[in-house]
């Protein structure tokens, strides 16, 4: 008996020790030596020559600072490729991965595709609150698990055609949604049964005019504390959908707007309807500035924060935030070396600023946002301010990625088209569907 | 003496069995690796919670219940898939046979016509779909421009849920070259004396087709229908690209696109397998849909084989 007792006590002690080791230690599990000569693979999604060149310059700066770590860069990677590669593993799978889709952070963290970065942050003494704005910290973690960090930021604002504003006798950009609606109507010019110019394309298929981008102006709460969908309970969603569907009606109705939308060129091509003057106002990210210039837009471009609901006029200046995220593959056997690259790209102020300057994105760290080296004209400064506005917000991570946003968007399509008229019942049904999808994912 | 003979026979039979097995082994390995193992794995994972990273966990019928009662895309995708199987396959066979018949009658420049009708089949599906999305753009596409000029209604094509599947069917008919070649070969094989005999009996064109051509090519028609059904059960690229182009979500890496635009009308079951299995990491749910597809393909094929066995027997 005594032997049995001893064995039980020894086993319990080992188990406790093991639990203690795995549960509280902040030491990274990786065992590679980041000071020795090594090569890591970095996957990213950029594909335009200027963007690829910017990444190459950033990586070169890293290799200069870390001569023992060589980086093999693979570009033009989307999330589907990332997921398949990390699932399959193998010698050619990446060590460091970046993605444009913040919506997938929940999936990446929940399924342990990406390594937990907390031990690495602790090892390097990175204080997140002193490094990154709060919304960016939010969209790079899931349920307290930090598996990614922000790598440049995207802020959404209002683009407007100053020449069209002048012609319509509008002095400046609207600040509230009632002003915005009035301007959108003033800027709309009919041509036959269509338009020669539309003030604004409110339809949810109108590129960046999505439910989530609009909803940010009401600072909504997507989930309750226990992770249940909160669309019906939070009046923000109902107000957003009511405002949007009213504007759809006021501008000519869903069918007429959809027909006009079919004449638009590619969102990311030169024939984007804002570039061509088909729409006078547009909700978009900071990248549109560079794209509009490259496309040779023949009018003076104005930029402002997207208007806010009339009863929240004091919060004017806020907007929706998103961005690129970066993490370390859980399957990587060179996680310490990979961390050196991630740390450099996400926290080194000069690296962040030079990269932001090169690809015209908003920097993702507090220091970089204030850096003198940041090249920013008056238009770009608007986005820097949106990014730092205390009421700017993002969409939360979910275990099945952005599925809940698509479910909300689906309801938005039906509501704007008048196929669903009971707003409260529709939102409740959407809540139920989101909850079912999350239960399936858990 | 008898014992020696029987031992010798046994050895001979064993050698023969081993030799037969050796000859069969490539097929056995192929079937085991590429059919049995994936099928058994799919059944196994359909009862598991499995994301591809963490070990699978038994969840019983949870995935089946989710797909059939809670997953809002399953029933629309099933309806669309069945619509495409019935309408698209039927029209492809009719047009393939019709064009094959016409081309066999052409005496001058037959090669040019054959090439012209076969060429679209060689176009990569993505490029062909994008070209059709351009042609059928309801606002700027040349097809609607022409329809408008001659006073006909201008459909919304890929932007209208009631026209999106007919638009896909048009695209499928445009790429009819593969069927046309198969039908042409079989039509040229029909014995001329049967046509001559029928003509002497006073049979017109329709009667010659009905009583001479069709009985001779029935096995090919059956082949075309069965392979068409199986291909349509795997229909993925064209509806996905058409939906992406028409909805405007085509290039943004950070953009999410949910297949089925407009209003789930172009959603197909293979898209759901990909959506659940490879985008939402829900291997269990994807396995359920894959098994539904497998069962449907088996049912359709068995039905067609049974109905078609009479056709095949006429050749014996």
């Amino acid at each position: 008996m005594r032997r049995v007792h001893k064995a039980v006590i020894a086993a319990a002690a080992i188990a406790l020790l093991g639990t203690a080791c795995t549960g509280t230690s902040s030491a990274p599990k990786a065992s590679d030596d980041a000071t020795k000569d090594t090569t890591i693979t970095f996957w990213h999604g950029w594909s335009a020559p200027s963007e690829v060149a910017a990444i190459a310059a950033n990586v070169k700066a890293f290799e200069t600072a870390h001569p023992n770590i060589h980086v093999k860069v693979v570009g033009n990677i989307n999330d589907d490729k990332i997921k398949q590669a990390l699932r399959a593993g193998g010698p050619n799978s990446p060590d460091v991965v970046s993605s444009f889709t913040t919506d997938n952070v929940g999936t990446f963290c929940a399924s342990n595709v990406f390594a937990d970065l907390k031990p690495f942050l602790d090892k390097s003494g990175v204080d997140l609150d002193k490094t990154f704005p709060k919304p960016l910290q939010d969209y790079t973690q899931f349920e307290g698990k930090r598996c990614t960090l922000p790598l440049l930021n995207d802020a959404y604002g209002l683009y407007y055609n100053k020449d069209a504003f002048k012609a319509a006798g509008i002095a400046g950009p609207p600040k509230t949604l009632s002003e915005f609606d009035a301007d959108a109507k003033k800027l709309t010019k009919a041509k036959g049964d269509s338009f020669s110019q539309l003030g604004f394309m409110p339809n949810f298929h109108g590129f960046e005019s999505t439910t989530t981008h609009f909803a940010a102006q009401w600072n909504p709460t997507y989930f309750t504390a226990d992770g249940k969908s909160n669309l019906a309970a939070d009046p923000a969603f109902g107000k957003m959908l009511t405002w949007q569907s009213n504007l759809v009606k006021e501008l000519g109705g869903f069918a007429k707007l959809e027909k006009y939308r079919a004449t638009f060129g590619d969102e990311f091509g030169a024939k984007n309807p804002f570039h061509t003057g088909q729409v006078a106002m547009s909700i978009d990210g900071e990248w549109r500035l560079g794209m509009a210039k490259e496309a040779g837009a023949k009018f003076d471009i104005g930029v402002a924060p997207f208007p806010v609901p009339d009863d929240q006029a004091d919060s004017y200046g806020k907007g929706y935030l998103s961005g690129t995220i970066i993490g370390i593959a859980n399957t990587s056997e060179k996680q310490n070396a990979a961390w050196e690259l991630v740390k450099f790209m996400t926290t080194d102020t000069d690296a962040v600023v030079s990269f932001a300057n090169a690809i015209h994105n908003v920097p993702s760290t507090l220091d970089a946002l204030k850096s003198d080296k940041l090249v920013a004209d008056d238009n770009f400064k608007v986005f820097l301010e949106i990014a730092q506005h205390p009421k700017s917000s993002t969409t939360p991570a979910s275990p099945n990625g952005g599925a809940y946003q698509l479910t909300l968007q689906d309801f938005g399509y039906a509501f704007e088209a008048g196929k669903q008229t009971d707003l409260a019942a529709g939102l409740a049904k959407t809540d139920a569907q989101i909850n079912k999808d999350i239960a399936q994912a858990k | 003496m008898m014992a020696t003979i029987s031992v010798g026979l046994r050895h001979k039979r064993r050698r023969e069995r081993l030799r037969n097995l050796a000859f069969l082994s490539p097929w056995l390995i192929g079937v085991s690796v590429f059919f049995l193992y994936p099928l058994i794995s799919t059944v196994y994972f359909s009862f598991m919670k499995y994301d591809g990273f963490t070990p699978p966990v038994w969840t019983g019928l949870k995935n089946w219940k989710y797909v059939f009662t809670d997953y809002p895309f399953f029933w629309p995708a099933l309806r669309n898939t069945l619509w495409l199987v019935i309408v698209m396959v039927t029209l492809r066979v009719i047009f393939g046979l019709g064009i094959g018949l016409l081309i066999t009658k052409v005496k001058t420049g037959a090669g040019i016509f054959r090439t012209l009708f076969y060429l679209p089949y060689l176009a990569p599906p993505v490029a062909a779909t994008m070209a059709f999305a351009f042609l059928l753009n309801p606002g700027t596409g040349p097809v609607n421009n022409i329809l408008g000029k001659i006073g006909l209604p201008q459909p919304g094509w890929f932007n209208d849920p009631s026209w999106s599947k007919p638009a896909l069917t048009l695209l499928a008919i445009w790429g009819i070259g593969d069927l046309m070649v198969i039908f042409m070969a079989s039509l040229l094989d029909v014995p001329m004396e049967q046509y001559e005999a029928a003509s002497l009996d006073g049979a017109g064109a329709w009667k010659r087709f009905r009583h001479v051509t069709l009985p001779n090519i029935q096995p090919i028609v059956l082949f075309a229908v069965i392979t068409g059904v199986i291909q349509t059960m795997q229909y993925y690229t064209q509806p996905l690209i058409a939906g992406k182009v028409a909805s405007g979500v085509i290039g943004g890496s950070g953009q999410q696109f949910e297949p089925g635009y407009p209003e789930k009308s172009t959603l197909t079951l293979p898209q759901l397998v990909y959506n659940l299995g490879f985008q939402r990491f829900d291997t269990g749910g994807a396995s359920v849909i894959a098994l539904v597809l497998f069962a449907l393909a088996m049912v359709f094929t068995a039905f067609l084989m049974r109905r078609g066995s009479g056709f095949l027997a006429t050749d014996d």
Side-chain angles (χ1 to χ4, degrees):
Chain A
M1 270 310 269
R2 285 184 70 182
R3 269 189 191 169
V4 173
H5 276 144
K6 273 183 185 173
V8 169
I9 291 164
I14 291 166
L16 275 172
L17 197 63
T19 314
C21 285
T22 53
T24 58
S25 169
S26 60
K29 284 181 194 166
S31 57
D32 64 303
D33 187 348
T35 61
K36 289 201 171 151
D37 200 64
T38 187
T39 301
I40 55 172
T41 304
F42 168 41
W43 280 16
H44 66 80
W46 286 284
S47 56
S50 57
E51 294 169 339
V52 172
I55 276 280
N58 208 355
V59 166
K60 198 176 174 193
F62 168 76
E63 286 176 327
T64 308
H66 299 78
N68 63 304
I69 304 176
H70 314 285
V71 184
K72 187 182 158 197
V73 182
V74 181
N76 198 18
I77 296 289
N78 62 27
D79 275 29
D80 282 357
K81 288 181 197 164
I82 292 170
K83 288 172 183 172
Q84 300 342 318
L86 296 181
R87 238 178 185 180
N92 293 323
S93 59
D95 300 292
V96 177
V97 183
S98 75
S99 161
F100 297 142
T101 321
T102 54
D103 299 323
N104 280 330
V105 168
T107 315
F108 289 147
C109 289
S111 57
N112 296 318
V113 179
F114 282 8
D116 184 1
L117 295 181
K118 188 176 182 302
F120 295 100
L121 290 160
D122 290 347
K123 178 180 79 167
S124 300
V126 177
D127 183 340
L128 291 173
D129 292 334
K130 288 180 182 165
T131 312
F132 303 107
K134 175 80 170 57
L136 278 66
Q137 291 184 46
D138 289 345
Y139 71 62
T140 47
Q141 61 87 38
F142 175 63
E143 291 182 349
K145 184 174 177 185
R146 172 156 303 285
C147 71
T148 65
L149 284 175
L151 172 65
L152 298 193
N153 184 213
D154 292 322
Y156 286 76
L158 174 74
Y159 282 84
Y160 62 99
N161 182 328
K162 282 188 176 174
D163 295 357
F165 266 50
K166 210 177 280 175
I170 305 168
K175 292 187 173 177
T176 64
L177 287 175
S178 59
E179 290 171 14
F180 176 77
D181 292 357
D183 290 348
K185 278 186 276 182
K186 262 191 222 172
L187 291 160
T188 298
K189 294 178 190 169
K191 184 186 174 189
D193 62 350
S194 186
F195 309 97
S196 62
Q197 177 182 283
L198 180 67
F200 179 73
M201 171 49 77
N203 286 13
F204 287 130
H205 273 296
F207 298 141
E208 299 295 341
S209 58
T210 63
T211 47
T212 50
H213 296 170
F214 287 151
Q217 301 309 97
W218 280 265
N219 287 88
T221 305
Y222 284 87
F223 294 102
T224 59
D226 60 349
K228 299 281 183 213
S229 182
N230 194 44
L231 305 181
D234 186 340
F237 297 99
K239 286 180 181 172
M240 179 273 290
L241 288 162
T242 306
W243 162 75
Q244 186 267 358
S245 63
N246 283 341
L247 187 57
V248 168
K249 281 176 208 143
E250 285 172 5
L251 290 176
F254 175 74
K256 191 174 171 181
L257 289 172
E258 278 295 280
K259 199 174 173 195
Y260 187 58
R261 188 179 66 80
T263 68
F264 291 176
D266 173 16
E267 178 183 1
F268 294 101
K271 299 282 183 190
N272 176 288
F274 182 70
H275 300 171
T276 57
Q278 285 172 286
V279 294
M281 295 190 289
S282 157
I283 183 170
D284 218 328
E286 76 287 341
W287 58 80
R288 182 61 50 202
L289 278 171
M291 287 184 174
K293 277 178 202 160
E294 279 173 25
K298 295 183 181 78
F299 55 86
D300 202 4
I301 296 171
V303 180
F306 198 77
V308 291
D310 290 38
D311 58 355
Q312 296 183 34
D314 57 341
S315 67
Y316 178 69
K318 67 185 175 185
Y320 178 76
L321 301 182
S322 179
T324 307
I325 51 117
I326 190 166
I328 298 172
N330 216 1
T331 50
S332 168
E333 289 174 357
K334 299 166 186 171
Q335 291 190 357
N336 284 318
W339 166 246
E340 292 302 322
L341 177 65
V342 171
K343 187 176 65 173
F344 177 82
M345 292 187 82
T346 57
T347 63
D348 184 288
T349 304
D350 282 348
V352 173
V353 169
S354 61
F355 192 31
N357 284 340
I359 66 167
H360 310 294
N361 271 196
V362 175
S364 42
T365 66
L366 295 165
D367 286 346
L369 281 162
K370 292 172 198 140
S371 169
D372 297 336
K373 293 176 184 168
L374 192 63
V375 180
D377 60 13
D378 287 344
N379 276 342
F380 197 74
K381 276 180 187 161
V382 172
F383 292 105
L384 297 180
E385 282 158 16
I386 294 169
Q388 295 173 85
H389 194 283
K391 290 204 168 169
S392 285
S393 61
T394 186
T395 34
S398 154
N400 56 2
Y404 75 93
Q405 295 173 33
L406 292 169
T407 309
L408 169 61
Q409 186 90 332
D410 259 358
F411 175 64
Y413 296 144
F415 191 71
E416 69 176 354
K419 292 184 178 173
Q420 287 264 5
T421 48
D422 190 338
L423 187 57
L427 284 172
K429 203 176 162 196
T430 310
D431 276 334
Q433 184 58 51
I434 290 170
N435 290 335
K436 283 175 191 169
D437 291 340
I438 289 175
Q440 171 68 9
K442 277 189 171 173
Chain B
M1 189 65 181
M2 286 294 283
T4 318
I5 290 167
S6 95
V7 169
L9 267 173
R10 271 207 302 276
H11 276 292
K12 197 180 169 193
R13 277 181 192 154
R14 191 184 297 161
R15 270 201 309 276
E16 269 179 17
R17 270 202 295 272
L18 284 173
R19 197 172 57 204
N20 291 344
L21 268 177
F23 277 117
L24 279 172
S25 60
W27 180 84
L28 284 173
I29 292 167
V31 164
S32 307
V33 172
F34 297 112
F35 180 72
L36 285 177
Y37 172 71
L39 180 63
I40 293 165
S41 296
T42 311
V43 173
Y44 170 77
F45 286 125
S46 74
F47 298 105
M48 299 284 168
K49 157 85 185 132
Y50 182 51
D51 59 16
F53 301 101
T54 42
V57 178
W58 173 262
T59 53
L61 290 171
K62 189 185 171 203
N63 294 324
W64 290 84
K65 183 183 169 291
Y66 175 71
V67 167
F68 287 118
T69 62
D70 294 339
Y71 187 43
F73 302 124
F74 175 72
W75 293 107
L78 181 65
R79 280 195 293 273
N80 292 335
T81 305
L82 292 177
W83 190 101
L84 292 167
V85 162
I86 293 163
V87 179
M88 189 190 280
V89 173
T90 308
L91 289 177
R92 262 178 64 86
V93 170
I94 291 171
F95 274 87
L97 178 56
I99 292 167
L101 268 170
L102 280 177
I103 287 184
T104 51
K105 306 284 178 208
V106 173
K107 301 287 180 222
T108 320
I112 294 169
F113 283 108
R114 284 176 198 179
T115 311
L116 277 178
F117 281 107
Y118 189 71
L119 268 180
Y121 176 68
L122 299 176
V126 174
T129 312
M130 289 184 83
F132 256 65
F134 164 77
L135 291 170
L136 299 179
N137 183 306
T140 55
V143 171
N144 271 13
N145 278 344
I146 294 166
L147 290 174
K149 277 177 188 159
I150 55 177
L152 288 172
Q154 297 162 285
W157 300 114
F158 290 120
N159 290 72
D160 182 342
S162 50
W163 277 97
S164 54
K165 282 190 284 289
L168 286 171
T169 308
L170 277 181
L171 172 60
I173 291 170
W174 179 70
I176 205 81
D178 55 334
L179 274 186
M180 179 204 73
V181 167
I182 293 167
F183 279 125
M184 238 171 54
S186 69
L187 288 167
L188 291 171
D189 260 2
V190 179
M192 284 307 290
E193 56 269 30
Q194 291 187 16
Y195 285 120
E196 286 160 10
S199 295
L200 286 173
D201 288 345
W206 168 247
K207 281 196 171 173
R208 284 202 301 276
F209 174 75
R210 173 74 187 82
H211 296 291
V212 178
T213 311
L214 212 49
N216 275 291
I217 65 162
Q218 267 168 350
I220 304 302
V221 174
L222 186 65
F223 166 81
V225 172
I226 290 175
T227 52
V229 167
I230 293 168
Q231 276 171 10
T232 311
M233 291 272 181
Q234 298 166 346
Y235 202 49
Y236 177 87
T237 309
Q238 291 89 334
L240 186 79
I241 299 297
K244 275 192 170 189
V245 175
S247 71
V249 183
I250 56 165
S253 304
Q255 285 178 316
Q256 294 190 82
F257 174 73
E258 198 160 64
Y261 177 86
E263 294 174 34
K264 302 188 178 85
S265 63
T266 57
L267 205 59
T268 61
L269 290 174
Q271 289 180 342
L272 298 192
V273 174
Y274 187 79
N275 180 249
L276 275 184
F278 297 100
Q279 291 183 308
R280 293 197 190 182
F281 289 163
D282 184 359
T283 308
S287 298
V288 172
I289 297 170
L291 288 172
V292 169
L293 262 176
F294 176 72
L296 275 177
M298 292 293 282
V299 167
F300 268 112
T301 310
F303 171 77
L304 289 167
M305 289 296 283
R306 179 170 280 233
R307 297 284 298 172
S309 60
F311 302 163
L312 298 173
T314 57
D315 265 8
D316 294 340

